[in-house]
Amino acid sequence: MMNTTFYERSCWVSLLATLAVSWWFFAQTIPLLTVEELPDRAGLKALTSLAVIAVVLFIVVQVIGHIVAAVVTHPEDEDERDRRISLRGEQVAGIVLGLGVISTIGHILASGWFEHEMLVLLGSPFGILNLLVGSLALAEVARCLTQIILYRRDA
Amino acid sequence: MARTPITNRIRRLRFDADEMTQADLAKRVGVTRQTILAIEKGKYSPSLEVAFKIAAVFGVPLEEVFAYPDADLETREKC
C-alpha cells in the first residue's frame, strides 16, 4: 500500500463500507423473502427504516474510513489520472445501475404476467426496494473495483 | 489504463537533472508521484498539458522526452 494515493485508499474505504453495510442490510431482509406471505404494512415500514439506517451507517462508516485514510496518506489534489480513473469507474457503475433498474422493471412486469411465488415476491414493494438497494450496492462495488484495478495496473 | 505505445526518457532526464526524485518532478508538474511513476513505466499517457510541463521542467523540447515509435516509422515510410 506504499504506492497508493489518497484517492485509491478512498476507493478501498468505499468498497469495504459498501460490502459491510450491504451485508448487514441483506442479512436482515433476505430471510424475509422466504416467508410464505408478503410482508404487511408494518413489515414494509420496518424495511424502510432498515434502509434509512443502512444509508446513515454507510455515511458514518465512509466518513470514519476517510478520516483514517487522510491521516495515513496526506490528501493531495486530484490530478488528471485520478479524474480519468474516476470517470471510468463512474461509467462502469452507471452500466451496472442501469442493468439493475432494467432487471427490476423486468421483475415488476413478469410478476404481473406470471404467478410464480418468487416473481410475485420480487415484484412487491418489498422486493422492488431490495432489488434497487442491491443494484445500488452492486454499482458502488463495481465503481470501487474498477478504480482499484486501474490504480493497481498503473502502479 | 492499457499500456501506451508512447515511450519516454523521463527516468534518464531525472537522473541527469541531479537525480531529481519522482516526488520533486510530480510537485513541479502538479500531479501525484504515482502519476509520474505510471508515465515512466509507460502505463499512462499524460495529457498534452502535463507532457509540455514535464518537458519544461527539464528545459528540453517535448520530442526529447516523449516519442511515438509507430509515428516515426509512418513518417519515414511516407518520405
Side-chain angles (χ1 to χ4, degrees):
Chain A
M1 295 292 271
M2 286 297 286
N3 274 329
T4 55
T5 60
F6 171 72
Y7 291 96
E8 186 181 345
R9 286 179 193 224
S10 161
C11 293
W12 279 105
V13 168
S14 297
L15 177 66
L16 295 177
T18 308
L19 289 175
V21 175
S22 306
W23 178 82
W24 175 80
F25 179 77
F26 290 111
Q28 318 279 322
T29 61
I30 285 180
L32 299 175
L33 279 170
T34 58
V35 294
E36 295 266 313
E37 290 174 26
L38 289 175
D40 55 8
R41 187 92 193 138
L44 277 174
K45 212 171 170 183
L47 183 70
T48 316
S49 305
L50 267 179
V52 172
I53 293 169
V55 170
V56 173
L57 250 179
F58 180 69
I59 293 168
V60 170
V61 173
Q62 286 256 39
V63 168
I64 294 171
H66 279 91
I67 289 171
V68 174
V71 169
V72 176
T73 318
H74 182 69
E76 300 157 304
D77 286 340
E78 191 181 39
D79 71 8
E80 60 172 44
R81 178 168 154 266
D82 294 315
R83 279 191 291 274
R84 205 180 286 187
I85 289 175
S86 170
L87 276 175
R88 193 70 67 83
E90 296 293 346
Q91 191 182 20
V92 173
I95 292 169
V96 173
L97 185 60
L99 287 174
V101 170
I102 289 168
S103 68
T104 305
I105 293 171
H107 271 107
I108 295 168
L109 294 176
S111 67
W113 291 332
F114 305 105
E115 286 295 317
H116 191 274
E117 186 188 325
M118 203 59 193
L119 282 175
V120 173
L121 203 54
L122 286 174
S124 69
F126 174 81
I128 292 167
L129 183 64
N130 270 294
L131 285 172
L132 290 177
V133 171
S135 303
L136 263 177
L138 270 181
E140 184 64 9
V141 168
R143 181 186 71 80
C144 297
L145 279 179
T146 304
Q147 291 181 358
I148 289 167
I149 288 168
L150 290 175
Y151 273 119
R152 287 294 85 207
R153 265 209 334 219
D154 283 2
Chain B
M1 310 282 153
R3 198 171 177 85
T4 165
I6 297 171
T7 59
N8 71 81
R9 297 178 55 240
I10 296 176
R11 195 178 292 249
R12 180 77 234 172
L13 289 165
R14 276 198 303 111
F15 185 77
D16 292 344
D18 286 337
E19 298 187 14
M20 183 191 287
T21 63
Q22 289 177 335
D24 283 341
L25 178 60
K27 200 172 176 185
R28 291 175 70 172
V29 173
V31 296
T32 60
R33 192 183 66 79
Q34 287 75 15
T35 298
I36 295 294
L37 180 73
I39 296 170
E40 270 193 14
K41 285 184 173 177
K43 290 182 174 177
Y44 174 69
S45 298
S47 66
L48 262 182
E49 190 184 345
V50 168
F52 273 112
K53 278 182 182 174
I54 292 171
V57 167
F58 295 119
V60 294
L62 188 64
E63 59 270 26
E64 274 194 37
V65 186
F66 296 98
Y68 189 68
D70 289 349
D72 291 346
L73 194 69
E74 282 169 20
T75 310
R76 272 199 299 270
E77 280 172 357
K78 279 180 186 171
C79 289

